């Protein structure tokens, strides 16, 4: 009996060793990006489960987890934004403090640029020259894409979104979570010399910006999230030439929380979200309008709208639904008149969209 027990133990150990020695190889998938839109899923903060999705117009199909499937590696902690420069796609990963460079057609890894504090958005200024905003540094980074050399331009405030008019880049100062300052300004940068030349006081928490057909700059201001602090939500139009506010539409503090801002290809209509946390609707407004529309173009109807974008090709409206911030979210597609066209499963907290 002891001999049989010994043989049984040996057999179990041998099987265990065999299993341990078995090598499992990962075969990277091949993928070719068509015409469509990239969606960067933020993932859960500190969980490093950000992911990249792509919705193909011709196939009417979404493909998820692209970066991992092609490169056998996760993107990292909080996928923040995307930038397309020539044949390269740049993935800005906020809490991991780096930017991935991949082949824009195959999503194959090419490089990693690190050393940032907390990068947010990347904007192409010229050949091989980009700006990278940072939520935890008092300024923005100049980044040379030919050699990855970077330099922090100190403006005294954390930086968020960017828009360019002529030889000036306008930068919103949205968050004061890491850098203590009054977050109610848009800073003006001379992009020839990379210098701060002016500052425009707007409303609290200016975030996304777009430029319209009249070369006017539109800024959406969240107004702040803390009910114990004064709130100042607003939609503001600035004349970049004079740096003066030409239109200001104020929202109701504690009731409204405007967010997201997009514009159609003609620069004639802007789109934004408004409502309160967990119930944002989508509004469409002519850039020549003198008041904000009372009626939404698209009702959330229980969806947790998180971000929006407009297809420059046909005017379709794309909205991300974060659901409960834990399960996979959705990409929701509407026609320009607000008709639902399709819903596609994404990763966790789908947010930034980039049309290809």
């Amino acid at each position: 009996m002891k001999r049989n027990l010994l043989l049984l133990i040996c057999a179990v150990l041998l099987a265990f060793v065999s299993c341990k020695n078995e090598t499992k190889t990962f075969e990277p998938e091949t993928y070719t990006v068509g015409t469509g839109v990239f969606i960067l899923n933020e993932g859960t903060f500190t969980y490093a489960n950000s992911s990249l999705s792509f919705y193909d117009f011709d196939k009417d199909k979404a493909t998820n987890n692209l970066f991992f499937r092609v490169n056998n590696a996760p993107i990292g902690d909080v996928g923040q934004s995307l930038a397309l420069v020539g044949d390269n796609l740049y993935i800005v990963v906020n809490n991991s403090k780096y930017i991935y460079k991949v082949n824009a057609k195959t999503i194959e890894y090419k490089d990693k640029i690190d050393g940032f504090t907390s990068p947010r958005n990347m904007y192409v200024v010229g050949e091989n020259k980009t700006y990278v905003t940072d939520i935890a540094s008092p300024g923005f980074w100049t980044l040379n894409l030919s050699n990855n050399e970077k330099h922090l331009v100190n403006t005294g405030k954390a930086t968020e979104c960017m828009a360019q008019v002529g030889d000036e880049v306008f930068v919103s100062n949205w968050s004061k979570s890491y850098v203590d300052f009054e977050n109610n300004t848009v800073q003006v940068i001379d992009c020839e010399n990379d210098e701060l030349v002016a500052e425009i006081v707007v409303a609290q928490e200016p975030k996304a910006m777009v430029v319209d057909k009249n070369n006017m700059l539109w800024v959406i201001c969240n107004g702040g999230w803390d009910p114990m602090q004064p709130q100042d939500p607003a939609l503001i139009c600035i004349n970049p030439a004079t740096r003066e506010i030409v239109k200001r539409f104020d929202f109701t503090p504690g009731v409204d929380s405007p967010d997201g801002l997009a514009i159609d290809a003609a620069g004639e209509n802007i789109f934004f979200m408004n409502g309160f946390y967990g119930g944002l609707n989508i509004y469409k407004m002519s850039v020549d309008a003198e008041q904000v529309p009372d009626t939404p173009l698209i009702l959330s109807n229980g969806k947790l709208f998180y971000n929006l974008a407009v297809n420059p090709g046909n005017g379709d409206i794309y909205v991300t639904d974060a659901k409960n911030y834990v399960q996979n979210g959705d990409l929701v597609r509407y026609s320009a008149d607000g008709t639902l066209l399709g819903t596609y499963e994404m990763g966790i907290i789908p947010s930034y969209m980039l049309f290809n």
Side-chain angles (χ1 to χ4, degrees), residues 65-355:
N65 219 17
L66 269 179
F67 185 90
F68 184 85
R69 291 164 63 172
V70 172
N71 299 293
N72 191 26
I75 287 178
D77 190 13
V78 186
Q80 187 65 41
S81 63
L82 302 166
L84 194 59
V85 187
D87 296 329
N88 298 314
L89 177 69
Y90 292 85
I91 306 171
V92 182
V93 193
N94 172 243
N95 202 43
S96 291
K97 310 181 192 327
Y98 54 65
I99 298 175
Y100 273 132
K101 174 183 175 182
V102 301
N103 184 303
K105 281 294 181 186
T106 64
I107 316 300
E108 292 175 317
Y109 170 87
K110 298 178 78 171
D111 201 359
K112 184 172 81 169
I113 311 165
D114 54 19
F116 300 97
T117 311
S118 189
R120 298 287 285 183
N121 293 282
M122 183 173 170
Y123 186 83
V124 181
V125 182
E127 186 178 1
N128 290 324
K129 178 181 175 180
T130 63
Y131 287 164
V132 179
T133 57
D134 200 301
I135 201 172
S137 292
F140 65 93
W141 302 85
T142 60
L143 172 64
N144 187 330
L145 297 181
S146 64
N147 55 18
N148 291 348
E149 287 186 0
K150 60 185 182 299
H151 170 70
L152 181 67
V153 177
N154 195 317
T155 66
K157 298 184 177 183
T159 51
E160 181 66 10
C161 294
M162 293 171 282
Q164 185 172 1
V165 180
D167 58 359
E168 292 181 333
V169 171
F170 294 77
V171 186
S172 60
N173 307 121
W174 172 63
S175 174
K176 60 177 181 179
S177 299
Y178 301 94
V179 181
D180 190 21
F181 65 94
E182 289 299 319
N183 58 336
N184 63 346
T185 53
V186 170
Q187 294 181 316
V188 186
I189 309 299
D190 174 358
C191 57
E192 292 293 325
N193 302 305
D194 307 325
E195 291 179 349
L196 174 67
V197 294
E199 191 170 272
I200 305 165
V201 177
V202 285
Q204 195 174 358
E205 291 197 359
K207 199 173 183 185
M209 297 182 290
V210 296
V211 179
D212 71 16
K213 64 177 182 179
N214 304 314
N215 234 22
M216 296 293 109
L217 178 73
W218 291 83
V219 187
I220 198 87
C221 303
N222 300 153
W225 59 270
D226 188 350
M228 302 303 293
Q229 298 292 328
Q231 296 175 320
D232 190 22
L235 174 64
I236 290 173
C237 180
I238 297 170
N239 183 335
T242 64
R243 298 169 187 161
E244 295 178 345
I245 294 176
V246 292
K247 292 181 184 180
R248 176 173 176 141
F249 304 97
D250 290 299
F251 297 95
T252 306
V255 175
D256 295 315
S257 180
D259 202 356
L261 186 63
I263 194 164
D264 58 20
E268 296 177 348
N269 298 287
I270 57 174
F271 300 79
F272 61 91
M273 302 183 294
N274 189 37
F276 206 62
Y277 305 108
L280 299 178
N281 300 315
I282 297 170
Y283 293 79
K284 176 183 178 180
M285 174 180 164
S286 166
V287 297
D288 298 320
E290 295 301 326
Q291 64 180 28
V292 174
D294 295 324
T295 307
L297 175 68
I298 300 169
L299 291 169
S300 61
N301 288 329
K303 296 181 177 65
L304 189 65
F305 286 158
Y306 195 70
N307 203 0
L308 82 160
V310 175
N311 183 343
N314 61 8
D316 283 356
I317 303 164
Y318 288 73
V319 192
T320 59
D321 176 8
K323 295 193 175 179
N324 60 1
Y325 299 105
V326 177
Q327 67 187 108
N328 286 342
D330 287 333
L331 174 69
V332 190
R333 184 167 64 98
Y334 298 91
S335 66
D337 64 3
T339 302
L340 177 63
L341 299 176
T343 302
Y344 312 88
E345 184 176 358
M346 296 282 107
I348 297 172
I349 314 180
S351 181
Y352 198 94
M353 290 168 277
L354 177 65
F355 292 93

